[in-house]
Amino acid sequence: MKLPCANCIPFVFYGLYFLKPELSYAQFQNLTLITTALILGAKFNLTEISHMWLKDKAVSTLSHFLSDAKFSTDQMQHLYILQVLHLYKIRKGFFLIDDTMKHHTKFCQWIHGTFVLFDHAVGTNLKATCIVFLYYSDGDAVKFPITFRIFYKEEDKAKWLRLVKTEHKTKYDLALEMLKWSLEQGFPKCIVLADSWFGIDPFIRGLRALKLDYILEIKAKYSIKDPCEKTKLTPKGRVAKHQYDVVKLPKYFKKITSITKCGFAIDFETGKEAKILYHAKITTATLNSTPKKHRIVESIDPQTLTAKYFLTNQLHWEATKILSDYSNRWVIEEFFRNAKQLSDMEGATIRSKRGITLALCIVSWIDFLLHHENYKKRTAGKLTKESLTIPSIVRQAQYDNLQAILDKSQQDKDFIFKWLEVEREKINRKRKKRYQLIEFEKQEEDSLKKAA
């Protein structure tokens, strides 16, 4: 049994007030009710959200708001970015890019954006919606989603969506589209961080066209152009055009003997000893698949002896800085975890494109509101306080709601009676009636074949 929502959370109401120009009073109220219920523990289920508000809003009303109400999600996203740039004086930081999946059951063929996709986490094909997110972090307390795009596969891969027009773009094209849009909105040029699925030549060329710095993980199967020690000749004895050998990354780095040990220093306050996390080797070279020179790092975990490879266009950076900056990419993984566990992003099984887009907007805005509330608590007063986790901010909101319920129960007896009535309705559910099979008529098998 979940506690009902006593009132709209103040930081939700005032935090989303920037959307007021695009929404009517009723639409803004519906938005704040849904957002408050999700933060206080509701699933992304309209019936459950309605129950948490003690049926003040009908399920049909909330459904109409998500799927049929007239407003522009593009304009709402524009207002959101203006609010973000107003609240935070962003000068530098990191653009984080990654994709995630909303898993669905086999009965999801009518949910928008669902395709048969391969999930590398579980190692199998499944029906899911793939969303590519662009996230911002300053490396400290300022964190928020910027925008997202739904990834559509080719039409022949989703036969049940033949009547729905979808435009197929690769994930790196969607990422470049979002980066370009963000720069047009007024974001400064930040360092782009992405995993190995984006560490490919077309994406690197796109980043260079946007004049953005980047640190990307690349796969170990890539090769480096290693200059030849001796002049290469053709079979006819002429000097060869390409005076280099193509060498796989692991083999190339075996020749490098200089190792930098990276890790954490001694913490005198807690008594923790120094810890070495990575053995790093670094070189400046050209990948066989990418024409420009890059700074390339091999990072080996001394515990597991597994190796990862990173490249950046900043040729003067050292291994420690490259690995330290790239570690900020983990922030977007935390966002995915919070979006699925706290905001129930995977529970939003809405059929229309506009509805699922609005649901993803709400999940993004919740993350923005929670991080901004944490930012305000941390920077309040003269001394900077330690940052809290996002679940801590959620628990504080739930505690404040509990206090509001106790106060309301003493002042408003109708509230308690209404709560009991709503909960009583949910207690008993009748089982489906079991019908007895009866015999209609007998018929010979030959006559059945003729009828067929």
Side-chain angles (χ1 to χ4, degrees), residues 386-403:
E386 288 189 13
S387 181
L388 298 175
T389 63
I390 292 305
S392 299
I393 303 297
V394 171
R395 286 192 292 270
Q396 181 63 53
Q398 292 171 341
Y399 178 78
D400 294 341
N401 182 62
L402 175 59
Q403 283 190 317

Side-chain angles (χ1 to χ4, degrees), residues 123-334:
T124 186
N125 289 292
L126 44 78
K127 288 186 179 179
T129 304
C130 183
I131 310 109
V132 184
F133 276 92
L134 175 61
Y135 201 90
Y136 172 83
S137 172
D138 70 341
D140 191 19
V142 180
K143 307 168 187 177
F144 54 85
I146 300 176
T147 186
F148 60 87
R149 295 289 186 273
I150 298 175
F151 170 73
Y152 301 105
K153 292 193 77 173
E154 297 87 348
E155 290 184 5
D156 62 336
K157 299 292 179 66
K159 297 179 181 179
W160 59 86
L161 291 176
R162 284 177 179 172
L163 300 178
V164 180
K165 291 183 178 180
T166 59
E167 183 181 2
H168 169 67
K169 292 182 180 179
T170 61
K171 291 179 185 178
Y172 69 81
D173 278 331
L174 295 175
L176 291 171
E177 182 182 295
M178 291 188 290
L179 288 168
K180 184 179 179 182
W181 180 83
S182 301
L183 296 174
E184 291 171 351
Q185 299 301 310
F187 276 87
K189 292 182 177 180
C190 302
I191 300 170
V192 178
L193 308 178
D195 62 14
S196 60
W197 296 105
F198 295 89
I200 55 178
D201 183 58
F203 186 61
I204 293 172
R205 288 176 184 270
L207 294 178
R208 286 185 173 273
L210 294 173
K211 298 181 179 179
L212 290 170
D213 294 332
Y214 50 87
I215 304 173
L216 307 176
E217 184 180 350
I218 55 175
K219 296 180 180 179
K221 66 180 182 180
Y222 283 16
S223 301
I224 282 180
K225 293 179 180 178
D226 188 15
C228 299
E229 295 181 0
K230 295 181 180 179
T231 304
K232 253 188 178 183
L233 301 176
T234 66
K236 293 184 178 181
R238 297 176 182 176
V239 177
K241 180 180 179 182
H242 300 300
Q243 293 297 316
Y244 59 80
D245 295 319
V246 177
V247 184
K248 295 286 185 183
L249 285 170
K251 185 178 179 181
Y252 180 87
F253 275 98
K254 280 184 179 179
K255 300 189 300 182
I256 300 176
T257 56
S258 177
I259 297 176
T260 303
K261 295 181 179 180
C262 310
F264 298 139
I266 298 173
D267 191 333
F268 293 101
E269 291 184 4
T270 61
K272 285 187 177 181
E273 297 181 355
K275 184 177 181 181
I276 296 173
L277 298 176
Y278 312 109
H279 291 172
K281 296 180 179 180
I282 192 165
T283 186
T284 302
T286 304
L287 289 178
N288 189 42
S289 59
T290 305
K292 299 292 183 179
K293 272 192 174 183
H294 286 96
R295 198 79 159 145
I296 304 174
V297 176
E298 179 188 61
S299 172
I300 298 177
D301 185 335
Q303 300 295 326
T304 62
L305 299 180
T306 55
K308 289 189 175 183
Y309 299 89
F310 306 91
L311 88 166
T312 178
N313 61 328
Q314 291 296 319
L315 304 181
H316 63 282
W317 285 357
E318 293 302 323
T320 305
K321 176 173 175 54
I322 295 169
L323 295 176
S324 179
D325 282 357
Y326 185 80
S327 67
N328 288 286
R329 199 194 71 82
W330 185 251
V331 172
I332 197 170
E333 301 292 354
E334 293 177 343

Side-chain angles (χ1 to χ4, degrees), residues 80-103:
Y80 163 63
I81 292 302
L82 291 179
Q83 177 71 358
V84 163
L85 293 174
H86 171 70
L87 291 175
Y88 301 117
K89 306 302 179 185
I90 300 172
R91 294 183 178 87
K92 60 179 181 178
F94 303 97
F95 286 141
L96 318 178
I97 295 170
D98 204 353
D99 63 288
T100 189
M101 289 187 185
K102 289 172 75 267
H103 297 178

Side-chain angles (χ1 to χ4, degrees), residues 351-366:
R351 295 184 177 185
S352 69
K353 180 180 179 180
R354 207 192 67 85
I356 198 64
T357 302
L358 180 56
L360 291 170
C361 285
I362 292 173
V363 169
S364 299
W365 297 335
I366 287 175

